[in-house]
Amino acid sequence: MQTILNFIDGRFAPAASGRTIDNPEPATGEVYSTLPDSDAQDVAAAVAAAKKALPAWAATPAEERSRILLRVADLIDANLERLARAESIDSGKPLALARSVDIPRAAANFRFFATAILHTRSDLHQTGANVLNYTLRQPVGVCALISPWNLPLYLFTWKVAPALACGCTGVGKPSEVTPMTAFLLSELLAEAGLPPGALNIVHGRGATAGAPLIEHPDVRAISFTGGTSTGAAIARAAAPKFKKLSLELGGKNPNIVFADADLDAAADAALRAAFTNQGQICLCGSRVFVERPIYERFVDRLVEGARSLRVGDPLDAATQQGAVVSREHHAKIAAAVEQARRDGARVRCGGGPPSAPVSPRCADGSFYLPTVLTDAPPTCAAMQEEIFGPVVTVTPFDTEAEALALANGVRYGLASMVWTRGLDRAHRVAARLEAGIVWINCWMVRDLRTPFGGMKDSGVGREGGDEALRFFTEPRNVCVQLREHTP
Ligand code: NDP
């Protein structure tokens, strides 16, 4: 049994109350570690440590902050295997995915922001002959950094790295469902020489650890990634206190395939976009719209692909589909598919757990087969609400206008995909999709300099590149009146 601890002021500690939460391995259902069940008392200690560390860390030259963060990146690389295994055990995702995507990206997040801060510049506005305005960008202060369970270290570091790079200090609260790699990261931060208190990590539940963190009067900015309803609760709590807010929330992303597309490439990408990480990525393409002449062929391809994905023990190198993150989440996915059936959808493959255990070790694990649904009415829950599991709907369309109406006909607006060989159409549709990200003839191609985030109920604000640097700093206009030279 492993014991996860809080990281406060450079020291490891259990929750002040002594209470713990059991942490099961999704692939087996067995509790393999415990984490602190932190509450307002632990949060207060963590925020106090961050506040104390702020002046010195903010005043540390960018070159020195950069050196420390680059060391963190190197340490993540050096611990790739250990972190990937920990992520796989904690979340149920295939080890191969954690090794090739999650952990390398965590290192890349640190490296990217460690070097970005060496290349910034600020604005200067000359006003007439005798007035100069320049903009100072200073760290926003103590930040709350709250992340979800689907890409645990990847998304946690996507917040931690820019906050620290900009000279902010903070308190991180990883999801209680997947706390392990954030705990391991705290060891690496200490090893890299991050000053005590610059980043504190408090483990625990959203209601008892997350809520006091966002409400704490000394927290000036909140960077949150998670579900839309949690985001709404956070926005309600933060608004009267005028905290800076970045909310990256849910998605119900459309994937539009026109008949002139490269069908092989589109079908392969649709399969990956639907089922990577068991469909538990906010950017997954969970609604596929296919132009009618190629619809049946496309459905056949997708079903064949879904059936061929190897569902198995996440630690097995050949596994392509691991466990979903918890028993509770498994039940939610199953209920959503049952509702879709009642709403008239046809289950073309999957639609339940595997008929036999994927391995003896995983007999009590939370596995769900890759599921393709057709004939779902556009207004039904399966087409409107996030399932966040290995479930995709496929729907035919006849015109570009209809595809756009279907794609935009949800409350979310995070990511979208367009498959076509028509240049005009690609750009026309990209400009009309209500989404923060449009991928044309690709999926999940990421450049960390680009703005990342969603519109509508998918969130407020953007992460990545300059957007993140702007979020974690406060602009200050300095206006200088120059006096005439009198010899
Ligand atoms: P949740 O909203 O349930 O939780 C996200 C984080 O917030 C967790 O750390 C959670 O803690 C914490 N939390 C919960 N309630 C509160 C509260 N009242 N105050 C402060 N913190 C709180 O999301 P999930 O973890 O279930 O993640 C899945 C969701 O995340 C999906 O909707 C997905 O689309 C979205 N997501 C969005 C992304 C984007 O970039 N737009 C990327 C990835 C995921 P705990 O878990 O301990 O309860």
Side-chain angles (χ1 to χ4, degrees), residues 187-204:
E187 296 175 347
L188 303 183
L189 294 172
E191 195 180 336
L194 188 74
L199 185 77
N200 307 276
I201 301 178
V202 173
H203 295 276

Side-chain angles (χ1 to χ4, degrees), residues 64 73 167 183 213 313 339 344 351 410 474:
E64 178 56 16
F183 170 57
L213 175 58
D313 185 337
Q339 183 60 47
V410 290
E474 197 76 82

Side-chain angles (χ1 to χ4, degrees), residues 41-204:
Q41 214 182 327
D42 306 288
V43 167
V47 174
K51 192 177 175 186
K52 188 175 69 168
L54 183 64
W57 182 246
T60 301
E63 291 76 9
E64 178 56 16
R65 291 201 302 266
S66 175
R67 264 193 292 278
I68 294 173
L69 299 183
L70 286 172
R71 275 203 291 275
V72 178
D74 290 344
L75 284 167
I76 292 174
D77 282 344
N79 286 276
L80 170 72
E81 225 21 68
R82 179 168 157 249
L83 290 166
R85 202 178 156 79
E87 200 73 293
S88 170
I89 291 171
D90 210 28
S91 67
K93 72 175 66 212
L95 176 57
L97 185 69
R99 195 187 271 146
S100 60
V101 176
D102 292 71
I103 309 305
R105 173 58 191 276
N109 289 340
F110 275 101
R111 212 161 265 132
F112 177 83
F113 286 108
T115 50
I117 51 167
L118 303 180
H119 304 275
T120 55
R121 63 193 136 214
S122 61
D123 290 331
L124 175 102
H125 299 92
Q126 182 157 2
T127 312
N130 295 326
V131 176
L132 286 182
N133 282 284
Y134 62 87
T135 307
L136 288 179
R137 295 208 74 101
Q138 295 168 319
V140 69
V142 175
C143 302
L145 310 162
I146 303 180
S147 56
W149 47 256
N150 61 328
L151 301 168
L153 193 64
Y154 175 134
L155 288 176
F156 190 58
T157 54
W158 186 229
K159 300 180 182 307
V160 166
L164 290 174
C166 288
C168 297
T169 59
V171 179
K173 213 294 284 169
S175 170
E176 126 221 350
V177 182
T178 53
M180 184 55 85
T181 48
F183 170 57
L184 298 177
L185 176 72
S186 42
E187 296 175 347
L188 303 183
L189 294 172
E191 195 180 336
L194 188 74
L199 185 77
N200 307 276
I201 301 178
V202 173
H203 295 276

Side-chain angles (χ1 to χ4, degrees), residues 146-150 155 173-176 204-206 210-211 214 224-227 230 234 248-251 282 386 388 414 452:
I146 303 180
S147 56
W149 47 256
N150 61 328
L155 288 176
K173 213 294 284 169
S175 170
E176 126 221 350
R205 298 192 166 90
I214 56 152
F224 169 82
T225 299
T230 316
I234 289 177
E248 299 297 337
L249 309 176
C282 54
E386 201 179 26
F388 218 56
L414 184 54
F452 177 86

Side-chain angles (χ1 to χ4, degrees), residues 48 92 96 124 128 209 214 225 262 269 395 407 419 462:
L124 175 102
I214 56 152
T225 299
D262 174 338
T395 308
W419 294 86
R462 295 290 183 274

Side-chain angles (χ1 to χ4, degrees), residues 25-29 91-94 278 310-315 319-327 329-331 333-334 351-371 390:
E25 177 180 358
T28 63
S91 67
K93 72 175 66 212
Q278 298 74 247
R310 279 187 300 273
V311 182
D313 185 337
L315 296 178
T319 291
Q320 294 169 303
Q321 290 282 291
V324 299
V325 79
S326 65
R327 282 201 180 128
H329 193 55
H330 189 276
I333 295 166
S355 50
V358 299
S359 77
R361 187 182 94 85
C362 297
D364 290 325
S366 300
F367 293 86
Y368 200 90
L369 291 171
T371 299

